[in-house]
């Protein structure tokens, strides 16, 4: 059993100059065979493993990571957590996650710094207002704590926003979810890894998937850079690389992997204590506990696995930031980076079985996967363990692209007349 | 300023021009040419900041962008203040004000320093391990953590400065104006290549600029004098553009680079006004030569972070370039030869060098000999095991190293000093190279990462390519440049170069101490306060990859992005984990190289230029007549025309009533217009619209619905057949551009066999819509010679006409359900014709109305607005517009999708009308609709898409999409609001004039 | 009588930059793939529409700018009597569109034509235009379509540091103020 | 920002272009004959290749022509561009 983290363990270890801390997780060689193998050591993958072990008593399992855990989109995202989605299916999925977030630090005995500072979405034109009000009403009836704010209330909630009616696209109001907020991305991956490892899950880093062995229509095991591993269940949680893995079994997915960029400013003393998003002018910003402004940019329109995007996207985002926060003009960009996001045509994820027995996919989270991490892991674990979806992820199957029963979260098409 | 710290004979600083500035409220003086750093040092001020975590006193350490400690808040004006600025990069100007950051009440007495006492309790990443109980207390903990975090303060008022952009295309871009960059630029320009040379300093020359030492000579002159001539010779080259004060921020693929030019920061306060502060150069270079030089490494030993401990090469620059002594009794600590250059410079300037502590066994390179001849004391094979002095170093403790360098032995020598120069060797600046996607290789002998493979057309030369000695730098730069540019420049052949050669190399990443390692404080990342112990803790806890260690300990994540700390972090990881450094790899260097202001990135695209504003030909009239405007895409559209202190509601009610009672007019110029010609025009329309077009007579108009391939409604509008093979299509305002490119896409890629040409003519025409029972009378006045009889000019038809000899197209079409006409005239006369119609209509009280009234009027008739009543999930069937889907046509865009298992469901959400029980009650657009309120969870059947109070029906009306709506006509439903529930009844979506009598009224 | 109304009623001068609107000139959009289209246009206007990308051809009366392999912009050098803009249009329309060899559309008011000249012309454009003018600026009658501050433009290099700039009418006002704002810094 | 060689206009900055996704997905000539699965394959399923990908681009702010591009999505290197209807120059 791992020693518990607490202020007391810190004091205790201080006396031994912190020489005696245990490893957060082991560094095992892969076994010959596992009950199930999760491909991808990001937040979603590690959470899946954690819940498989915890709730479904599958302890002889492994998480395969070609690089270092949490090194993909988990460690690259802007950590916004909210559940104010339009459709019932999405609301159910994301609010399930949000409820787990609320107790996650204690559950994992690892401070994931879930900070419920609220997330506010702004409206800049009349169609925005209709769409956001529609969402707010839907949220309320789904038991999600979203409220509509008029322009003055927006200003009151976040005073540094430029709410002047004379700017190019004035703020006409916004919707606020107070339970929403941010968390510490690394801590989520590390916390789940530590928790899963404690229950016997093998976390195998620097091990790349090379192929999937099938017998007829069911999986038998995987070829890896560390050799063949036998297993009857494979859960793929590879985000941007999902299609690459799907192609190993000639499976095509309704995905495109595109660059998504983000940036942080130099750290400053607290200046904005909530999360503000604006889809119309494409900018969202929050401030990290370290003091950096964390700013999310948009995606590029082309497929790329380079983890780099075009400068115009960054320029466009900061343009919008300065439109809403002219006071930030002298702030400096400290670091800019990109991730690879796998996007579905309906901007909703896939948590689903496939036509191949024992092969499961959890992908298509696009730009918003982080917020769902605990829920996604929990539901994917359920799907893998029972070979059938939980009712909360039933709608997020691959077949919806055949039937046409999509969960369109683009919001209204916003075509003006 | 304390005179005794200035040396007088100095070429670079104008000691005749005294400049006054404020630091922490105290007025001080420096000279023109000083940086804030050199001026502070000249005033004997080392302590300028406190560290991020432990609030330890920190001083100036370097002389350039790698400075980790000395960052300050510049200016106090709420709109012009700038946080986290390196004193080493601030040029001194009259009126400069700077204050220390992250300390309270003052940098000299900082309460936060209490953290230093608690430091045993707060090792790396301690916060992951605590603050978890009680659960709901995190908000509170976090509040205090956030307060203590952060460094400087954000401005609180909008920036008054101007930023600009400029694109630049060149054959060769040379980054870095040191000796190798200068030679490369000269070579390129002389060979008729359009060349740009940029350097972030005030003047070219790099460190050679002030290298006046017997050990470094070219053709029997000091290297600095030789270089001076080279720099002068650049002026005569016409192909060469030189940009100083310009720092390369980012190197993207396809040789696309961003460079920030500082234009006013060095100017006196009163000279800055109305000038561009920073210009961001967007450079596209055919070839790039990187000559960014190298950074000196610190040494990692116990208490290596005290004010007064500086990089040896920086001490040299302060004395040789700025003429500033960093101390009176200076000691130097090194593992290589370069510290001896500093020693000699200091000695020549009359500064007393206590001693040089060198971890190497005796070496005999000529520069070391020179130092010895000058009588400088050297402690060979020794290390510093501790330093003393809280706010400024006052002494060091020296011990002998064991042969393996793993421990210290013998007696401890204490040496007084007021400044310590440290030199841990050199790190090539490969940041830009890696940003550009280049891969690095590792050179074991001196532990450096060097440029290896690159995807792009570029090279690295000079010390950023691993050449650290003058003759290598020159020889290799010349060869590499000539080969790269494929030229044969012999300017630099057979130069006579004298250069001291380093004969012995030795490196210890983490120097031993007589103290227990875990008790010692050896700082790696000075700004983020991460120590060697933090690295070891991370490794102990299983964080193996450099990325993990970096994130766990925050090493290299401060505002200097680890310029000084990354190598040591890697080194210590390698040593501890027992792996070879080369195999460990390095962290990725991300843009920008140095922090870049948001302002520079955005340029002048702020305020009115944040986004394009499109205006109709009649815009000015709307302004003159006090219209309120609505943003529709990039267009400004008249929203409504309030009379004196009339509310929006009242205005819209008045406009709507007038339009139906008599006459109204609308500026519809924003609608997209696409001219379609070609022999297959009809067939083309058959394929893009859901309905059939072949049989449409010439001179007739037809409404069309366009789908996406997924079967969902995409756009709509009226298309008119002008001739056998000639149509004019109208699209929605917002859809115009997308529709055209979508149609071009199908034409060019799917149906190239079709003979069809599309031309956008949106801006060619002003479109004026006149509607209402009196519209005919008004049009007769405007175009007397046009026969408007229903027989000659029926609904949904078109006529060519002319107004005062200006040709125009008149359509009789209606989006309001009223008898109405649409005049399309070339834009130049749009306003004039609008005014003419307005005049003609006066006797009928013609009323200009805006988009809001238009929306209301069409809603009374149940006409949809794509984007408002549809949201990308509605099929024509859902809209109950089955009539518009041609059953005969074999195919059209999106047809197949209408027959998928989900889209054929009968109980999909369908467009219906809603009537509120209380006719005064106007529903909120976006409100949800349910059949039972008490059921939990309540099932949402749909939502309100459009809702208005109709002055013509004198009741509230709404359009909505409701699950299975078409079978629920007459059913009662509920609209649950936050604090009440509204009773509604589902009705037909046409509220007014169901049998379209008014069209011909 | 109808009043002519232009979105830009101004001309400005800055250091080595002059900007002004040139109005009103006839502008027609010509489309066609077939050879007879080229010959027909050539016959009617005694100018052959250029087949080389990014070039133009012209005489004292008209210029024809290459826009794409099957699209050209024709514009007149002289201000023309607006009442007659349609005459040539109808003529060509009958010859081309009606005879099924292409398309003719009147874009006289769709495009606003600005003239920019002076030593700093190309530096001014480079403040918001990613196009590489290094060769363009020295080749008379060169044509390009590109973006200036995110607005589509057609550029026709008339002479050394003297070019005609075409921008869609609804954007012209915005581009005008942007160009003027940018000119302040020369 | 890529530097894209438009087959008609020559080298231009990426900002003049729009990306149109995977190339050579021919719209079925007889959609009505297809099963829902086959139609979904055309509509939504993509190779989303890591490596050499054939894709569509349009010189939207230039000649408005669509063309094909061969690009390595693992490093964004453009290997070739070719006009619509032309055979890919690279297998």
């Amino acid at each position: 059993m791992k020693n518990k983290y607490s202020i007391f363990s810190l004091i205790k270890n201080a006396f031994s100059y912190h020489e005696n801390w245990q490893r957060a997780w082991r560094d095992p060689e892969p076994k010959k065979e596992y009950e199930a193998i999760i491909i991808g050591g990001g937040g979603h993958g590690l959470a899946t493993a954690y819940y498989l072990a915890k709730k479904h008593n599958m302890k002889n399992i492994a998480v395969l990571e070609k690089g270092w855990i949490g090194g993909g989109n988990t460690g690259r995202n802007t950590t916004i957590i909210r559940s104010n989605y339009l459709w019932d299916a999405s609301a159910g999925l994301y609010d399930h996650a949000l409820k787990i977030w609320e107790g996650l630090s204690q559950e994992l005995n690892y401070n994931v710094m879930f900070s419920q500072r609220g997330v506010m979405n702004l409206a800049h034109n009349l169609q925005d207002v209709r769409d956001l009000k529609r969402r707010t009403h839907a949220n309320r009836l789904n038991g999600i704590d979203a409220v509509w704010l008029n322009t003055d209330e927006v200003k009151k909630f976040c005073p540094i926003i430029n709410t002047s009616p004379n700017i190019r696209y004035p703020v006409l109001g916004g919707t606020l979810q107070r339970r929403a907020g941010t968390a510490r991305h690394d801590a989520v991956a590390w916390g789940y890894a530590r928790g899963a490892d404690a229950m016997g899950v093998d976390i195998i880093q620097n091990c790349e998937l090379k192929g999937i062995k099938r017998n007829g229509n069911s999986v038998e095991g995987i070829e890896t850079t560390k050799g063949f591993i036998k297993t009857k269940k494979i859960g793929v949680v590879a985000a941007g690389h999902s299609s690459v893995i799907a192609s190993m079994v000639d499976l095509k997915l309704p995905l495109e992997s595109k660059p998504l960029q983000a940036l942080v400013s130099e750290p400053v003393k607290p200046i904005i204590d909530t999360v503000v998003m604006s889809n119309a002018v494409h900018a969202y910003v929050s401030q990290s506990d370290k003091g950096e402004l964390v700013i999310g940019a948009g995606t590029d329109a082309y497929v790329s696995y380079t983890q780099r995007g075009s400068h115009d996207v960054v320029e466009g985002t900061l343009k919008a930031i300065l439109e809403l926060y002219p006071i930030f003009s002298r702030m400096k960009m400290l670091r800019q980076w990109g991730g690879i996001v796998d996007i579905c045509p309906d901007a909703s994820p896939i948590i689903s079985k496939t036509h191949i027995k024992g092969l499961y996919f959890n992908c298509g989270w696009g730009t918003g996967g982080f917020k769902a991490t605990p829920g996604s892991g929990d539901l994917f674990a359920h799907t893998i363990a029972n070979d059938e979806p939980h009712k909360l992820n039933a709608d997020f199957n691959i077949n919806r692209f055949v039937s046409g029963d999509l969960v369109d979260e683009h919001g209204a098409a916003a075509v003006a007349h | 300023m304390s005179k005794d710290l200035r040396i007088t004979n100095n070429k670079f600083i104008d000691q005749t021009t005294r400049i006054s500035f404020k630091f922490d409220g105290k007025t001080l003086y420096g000279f023109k040419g000083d940086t804030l750093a050199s001026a502070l040092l000249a005033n004997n001020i080392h302590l300028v900041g406190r560290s991020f975590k432990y609030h330890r006193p920190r001083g100036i350490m370097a002389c350039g962008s790698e400075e980790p400690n000395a960052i300050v808040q510049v200016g106090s004006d709420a709109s012009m203040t700038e946080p986290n600025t390196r004193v080493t990069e601030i040029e001194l100007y009259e009126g400069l004000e700077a204050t220390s950051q992250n300390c309270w009440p003052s940098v000299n007495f900082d309460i936060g320093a209490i953290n230093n006492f608690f430091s045993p309790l707060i090792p790396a990443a301690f916060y992951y391990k605590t603050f978890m109980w009680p659960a709901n207390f995190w908000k509170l903990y976090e509040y205090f953590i956030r307060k203590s975090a952060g460094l400087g303060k954000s401005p609180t008022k909008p920036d008054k400065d101007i930023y600009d952009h400029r694109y630049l295309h060149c054959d060769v871009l040379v980054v870095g104006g040191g000796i190798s960059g200068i030679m490369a630029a000269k070579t390129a320009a002389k060979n008729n290549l359009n060349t740009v040379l940029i350097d972030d300093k005030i003047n070219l020359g790099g460190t050679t600029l002030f290298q006046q030492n017997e050990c470094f000579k070219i053709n029997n002159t000091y290297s600095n004098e030789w270089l001076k001539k080279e720099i002068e010779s650049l002026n005569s080259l016409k192909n060469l553009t030189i940009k100083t004060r310009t720092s390369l921020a980012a190197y993207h693929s396809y040789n696309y680079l961003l460079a920030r030019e500082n234009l006013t920061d060095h100017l006196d306060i009163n000279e800055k006004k109305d000038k561009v502060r920073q210009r961001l150069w967007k450079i596209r270079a055919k070839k790039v030569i990187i000559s960014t030089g190298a950074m000196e490494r610190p040494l990692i030993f116990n208490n290596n972070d005290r004010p007064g401990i500086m990089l040896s090469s920086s001490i040299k620059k302060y004395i040789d370039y700025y003429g500033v002594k960093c101390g009176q009794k200076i000691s130097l600590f090194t593992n290589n030869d370069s510290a001896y250059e500093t020693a000699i410079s200091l000695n020549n300037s009359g500064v007393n060098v206590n001693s040089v502590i060198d971890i190497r066994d005796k070496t005999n390179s000529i520069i070391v000999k020179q130092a010895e001849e000058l009588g400088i004391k050297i402690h060979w094979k020794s290390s510093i095991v501790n330093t003393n002095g809280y706010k400024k170093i006052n002494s060091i403790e020296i011990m002998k190293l064991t042969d393996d360098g793993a421990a210290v032995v013998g007696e401890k020598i204490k040496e007084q000093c007021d400044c310590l120069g440290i030199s841990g060797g050199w790190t090539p600046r490969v940041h830009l190279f890696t940003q550009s996607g280049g891969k690095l290789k590792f050179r074991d002998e001196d532990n450096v990462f060097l440029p290896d493979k690159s995807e792009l057309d570029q090279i690295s030369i000079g010390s950023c390519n691993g050449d650290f000695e003058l003759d290598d730098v020159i020889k290799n730069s010349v060869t590499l440049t000539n080969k790269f540019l494929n030229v044969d420049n012999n300017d630099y052949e057979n130069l006579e170069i004298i250069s001291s050669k380093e004969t012995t190399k030795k490196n210890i990443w983490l120097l031993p101490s007589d103290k227990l390692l875990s008790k010692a404080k050896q700082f790696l990342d000075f700004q983020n306060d991460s120590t060697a112990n933090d690295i070891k803790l991370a490794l102990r806890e299983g964080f193996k990859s450099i990325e993990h260690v970096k994130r766990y300990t925050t090493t290299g994540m401060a505002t200097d992005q680890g310029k000084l700390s990354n190598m040591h972090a890697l080194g210590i990881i390698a040593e501890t984990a027992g792996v070879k450094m080369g195999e460990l790899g390095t962290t990725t260097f991300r843009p920008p190289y140095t922090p870049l202001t948001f302002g520079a990135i955005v340029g002048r695209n702020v305020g009115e230029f944040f986004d394009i504003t499109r205006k109709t030909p009649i815009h000015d009239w709307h302004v003159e007549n006090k219209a309120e405007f609505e943003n529709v895409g990039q267009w400004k559209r008249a929203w409504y025309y309030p009379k004196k202190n009339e509310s929006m509601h009242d205005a819209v009610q008045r406009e709507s009533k007038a339009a139906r009672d008599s006459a109204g007019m609308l500026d519809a110029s924003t609608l997209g217009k696409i001219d379609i010609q070609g022999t297959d025009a009809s067939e083309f329309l058959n394929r893009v619209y859901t309905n059939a077009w072949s049989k449409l007579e010439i001179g007739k108009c037809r409404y069309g619905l366009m789908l996406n391939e997924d079967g969902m409604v995409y756009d709509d509008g009226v298309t008119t057949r002008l001739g056998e093979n000639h149509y004019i299509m109208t699209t929605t305002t917002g859809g115009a551009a997308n529709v055209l490119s979508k149609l071009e896409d199908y034409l060019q890629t799917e149906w190239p066999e079709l003979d069809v040409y599309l031309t956008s003519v949106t801006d060619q025409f002003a479109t004026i819509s006149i509607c209402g029972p009196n519209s005919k009378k008004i049009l007769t006045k405007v175009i007397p010679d046009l026969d408007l009889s229903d027989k000659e000019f029926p609904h949904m038809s078109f006529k060519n006409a002319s107004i005062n000899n200006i040709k125009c197209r008149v359509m009789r079409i209606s989006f309001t359900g009223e008898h109405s006409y649409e005049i399309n005239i070339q834009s130049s006369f749009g306003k004039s014709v609008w005014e003419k119609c307005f005049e003609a209509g006066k006797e009928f009280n013609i009323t200009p109305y805006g988009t809001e009234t238009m929306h209301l009027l069409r809603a009374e008739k149940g006409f949809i607005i794509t984007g408002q009543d549809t949201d990308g999930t509605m099929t024509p069937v859902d809209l109950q517009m089955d009539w518009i889907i041609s059953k005969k046509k074999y195919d059209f865009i999106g047809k197949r999708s209408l027959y998928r298992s989900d889209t054929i469901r009968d109980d999909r959400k369908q467009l219906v009308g809603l009537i509120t029980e209380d006719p005064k009650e106007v529903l909120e657009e976006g409100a949800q609709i349910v059949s039972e309120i008490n059921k939990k969870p309540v099932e949402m059947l749909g939502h309100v898409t459009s809702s208005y109070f109709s002055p013509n029906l004198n009741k509230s009306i709404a359009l909505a999409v409701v699950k299975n709506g078409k079978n629920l006509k007459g059913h009662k439903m509920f609209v649950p609001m936050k604090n009440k529930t509204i009773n509604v009844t589902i009705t037909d979506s046409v509220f007014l004039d169901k049998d379209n009598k008014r069209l011909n009224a | 009588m109808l009043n002519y109304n232009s979105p830009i009623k101004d001309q400005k001068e800055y250091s080595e930059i002059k900007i002004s609107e040139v109005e009103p000139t006839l502008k027609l959009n010509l489309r066609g793939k077939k050879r007879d289209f080229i010959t027909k246009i050539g016959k009617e206007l005694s100018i052959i529409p250029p087949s080389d990308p990014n070039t133009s051809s012209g005489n004292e009366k008209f210029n024809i700018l290459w826009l794409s392999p099957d699209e050209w912009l024709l514009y007149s050098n002289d201000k023309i009597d607006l009442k007659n803009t349609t005459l040539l249009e109808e003529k060509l329309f009958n010859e081309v569109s009606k005879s099924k060899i292409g398309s003719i559309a009147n874009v006289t008011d769709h495009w606003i034509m600005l003239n920019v000249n002076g030593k700093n012309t190309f530096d001014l454009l480079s403040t918001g235009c990613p196009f590489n003018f290094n060769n363009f600026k020295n080749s008379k009658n060169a044509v390009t379509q590109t973006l200036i501050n995110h607005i589509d433009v057609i550029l026709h290099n008339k002479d050394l540091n003297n070019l005609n700039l075409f921008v869609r009418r609804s954007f012209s006002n915005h581009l005008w103020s942007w160009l003027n704002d940018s000119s302040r810094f020369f | 920002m890529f530097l894209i060689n438009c087959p008609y206009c020559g080298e231009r900055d990426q900002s003049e272009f729009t990306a149109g996704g995977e190339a050579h997905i021919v719209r079925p000539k007889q959609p009505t004959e297809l099963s829902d699965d086959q139609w979904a394959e055309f509509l939504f399923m993509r190779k989303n290749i890591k490596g050499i990908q054939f894709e569509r681009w349009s010189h939207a702010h230039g000649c408005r022509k669509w063309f094909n591009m061969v690009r390595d999505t693992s490093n964004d290197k453009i290997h070739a561009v070719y006009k619509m209807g032309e055979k890919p120059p690279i297998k």
Side-chain angles (χ1 to χ4, degrees), chain A residues 8 55 82-83 87 107 115 148 183 187 193-194 202 229 239 256 273 309 318 341 344 355 388 396 408 414:
Chain A
F8 308 110
K55 292 176 130 184
R82 59 187 178 92
S83 65
W87 302 104
E107 152 108 40
S115 167
W148 174 261
R194 179 166 169 270
D202 283 353
I229 311 173
E256 284 193 306
D273 59 5
L318 287 176
V341 296
C344 277
H355 69 273
E388 63 183 45
F396 298 94
D408 191 322

Side-chain angles (χ1 to χ4, degrees), chain B residues 430-461:
Chain B
V430 293
H431 306 69
L432 296 177
F433 174 81
T434 49
Q435 271 186 33
S436 77
K439 299 272 162 289
L440 298 171
K441 60 183 179 224
F442 189 71
R443 187 167 71 194
D444 292 297
E445 65 196 90
D446 53 356
N447 301 292
V448 289
F449 283 101
L450 299 174
D452 189 8
K453 289 190 195 52
S454 164
E455 290 284 331
L456 307 179
D457 201 354
Q458 59 159 268
I459 50 164
S460 297
I461 60 172

Side-chain angles (χ1 to χ4, degrees), chain A residues 18 116 137 169 308 315, chain B residues 120 139 282 435 540 611 924:
Chain A
H18 303 286
Q116 296 181 287
H137 285 294
Y169 296 108
R308 309 145 129 250
E315 181 178 318
Chain B
K139 248 192 155 60
K282 299 177 170 184
Q435 271 186 33
R540 218 175 291 131
D611 193 21
E924 181 169 282

Side-chain angles (χ1 to χ4, degrees), chain A residues 4-7 10-11 14 17-19 21-25 27 68-69 75-76 87-88 105-106 109-111 113-117 125-127 130 133-134 137-138 140-142 147 168-170 184-187 190 205 263 265-272 281 287-293 295 308 311 315 318-320 322-323 326-337 401-405 408 411-417, chain B residues 52 79-84 102 120-121 123 127-133 135 138-139 142 146-152 154-157 159 161 163 165 258 277 282 435-437 518-519 528 537 540-545 548 551-552 557 559 561 590-592 595-599 601-602 605 610-613 630-634 637 639 732-734 865-868 871 873 900-902 909 924-928 938 940 943 976-978:
Chain A
K4 206 162 187 305
Y5 289 158
S6 72
I7 181 66
L10 273 165
I11 295 166
Y17 308 107
H18 303 286
E19 297 273 7
W21 287 105
Q22 289 176 339
R23 301 182 58 112
W25 52 79
D27 191 16
W68 301 95
I69 59 169
R76 294 165 180 273
W87 302 104
D88 299 0
S105 293
Q106 290 68 30
N109 175 231
Y110 206 92
N111 189 353
M113 304 182 193
F114 177 45
S115 167
Q116 296 181 287
R117 54 190 57 245
N125 59 51
L126 298 176
Q127 192 53 45
R130 291 184 196 102
K133 281 188 170 171
R134 176 186 174 190
H137 285 294
R140 196 184 75 250
L141 295 176
N142 273 320
V147 290
R168 183 66 184 82
Y169 296 108
R184 175 89 189 121
H185 51 18
D186 292 333
W190 298 343
Q205 304 185 82
L263 61 101
S265 74
E266 293 183 332
V268 288
K269 295 294 177 193
I271 181 80
I272 174 170
V281 299
Q287 187 174 18
S288 73
D289 287 346
K290 198 162 177 287
E292 299 158 327
L293 296 176
I295 293 170
R308 309 145 129 250
H311 171 71
E315 181 178 318
L318 287 176
K319 201 167 81 168
L322 294 196
E323 168 84 344
I327 67 168
F328 287 153
S329 169
R330 294 177 98 80
M331 294 286 290
K332 300 190 218 89
M333 174 166 85
L334 176 60
R335 198 163 61 244
Q336 144 200 0
W337 66 91
F401 296 95
V402 175
S403 68
D405 186 11
D408 191 322
V415 180
H417 206 291
Chain B
F52 189 83
S79 66
M80 304 303 265
T81 183
E82 184 169 2
N84 309 336
N102 204 39
L121 285 186
Y127 32 76
Y128 296 131
K129 295 174 176 163
T130 179
F131 302 129
M132 287 179 277
W133 295 269
W138 171 242
K139 248 192 155 60
E142 192 182 34
R146 288 172 80 86
K147 268 177 85 85
S148 63
L151 294 166
S154 161
T156 52
K157 288 210 170 74
D159 194 349
D161 268 324
Y163 303 81
H165 289 169
L258 302 173
R277 180 194 178 205
K282 299 177 170 184
Q435 271 186 33
S436 77
S518 46
K519 277 193 188 161
N528 272 357
L537 172 64
R540 218 175 291 131
E541 295 193 74
F543 296 85
K544 285 174 66 188
S545 92
H548 275 176
R551 287 160 175 271
Y552 195 66
M557 299 185 86
T559 63
Q561 289 290 286
R590 298 193 168 109
L596 185 59
T597 53
F598 290 2
I601 296 170
V602 173
N605 300 316
F610 166 68
D611 193 21
I612 295 159
T613 302
E630 177 190 0
N631 284 314
V632 182
Q634 293 175 319
R637 293 199 71 177
W639 190 13
T732 60
T733 298
I865 288 181
T866 55
Q868 178 171 344
D871 61 1
T873 69
R900 292 175 296 171
S901 61
D902 189 70
K909 287 183 180 172
E924 181 169 282
E925 287 168 348
Q928 297 289 327
V938 56
M940 286 172 262
H943 73 285
M977 302 301 286
K978 200 159 171 214

Side-chain angles (χ1 to χ4, degrees), chain B residues 199-273:
Chain B
D199 191 276
D200 58 355
K201 299 280 187 303
I202 311 159
N203 38 30
L204 299 177
T207 50
T208 316
L209 190 63
F210 48 90
Q211 181 63 286
Q212 191 154 354
N213 184 310
E214 289 298 334
C215 301
F216 305 98
K217 293 182 122 186
I218 303 168
N219 290 353
N220 282 319
T221 60
Y222 288 124
S223 51
N224 63 326
E225 283 159 10
W226 181 85
L227 185 64
K228 200 154 158 285
K229 291 199 183 59
E230 282 296 299
I231 294 172
E232 283 155 7
S233 73
L234 296 179
N235 305 329
S236 60
L237 300 169
K238 63 176 195 327
N239 291 326
L240 178 63
T241 315
I242 298 171
K243 296 225 153 289
T244 52
R245 290 195 176 100
T246 304
S247 127
L248 203 109
Y251 190 159
H252 297 295
S253 56
Y254 293 85
N255 277 353
Y256 183 79
L257 304 94
L258 302 173
R260 188 245 304 118
E261 181 179 17
N262 268 333
L263 295 160
T264 63
D265 280 0
H266 59 287
L267 300 179
D268 293 354
I269 293 274
N270 47 25
E271 294 170 354
K272 294 180 198 278
K273 215 171 163 304

Side-chain angles (χ1 to χ4, degrees), chain B residues 606-626:
Chain B
V606 291
E608 71 166 302
F609 299 124
F610 166 68
D611 193 21
I612 295 159
T613 302
R614 296 179 69 180
K615 296 174 182 171
T616 79
I618 308 165
H619 184 84
D620 294 349
W621 192 93
H622 305 319
V623 176
E624 290 152 20
N625 290 270
K626 308 278 181 298

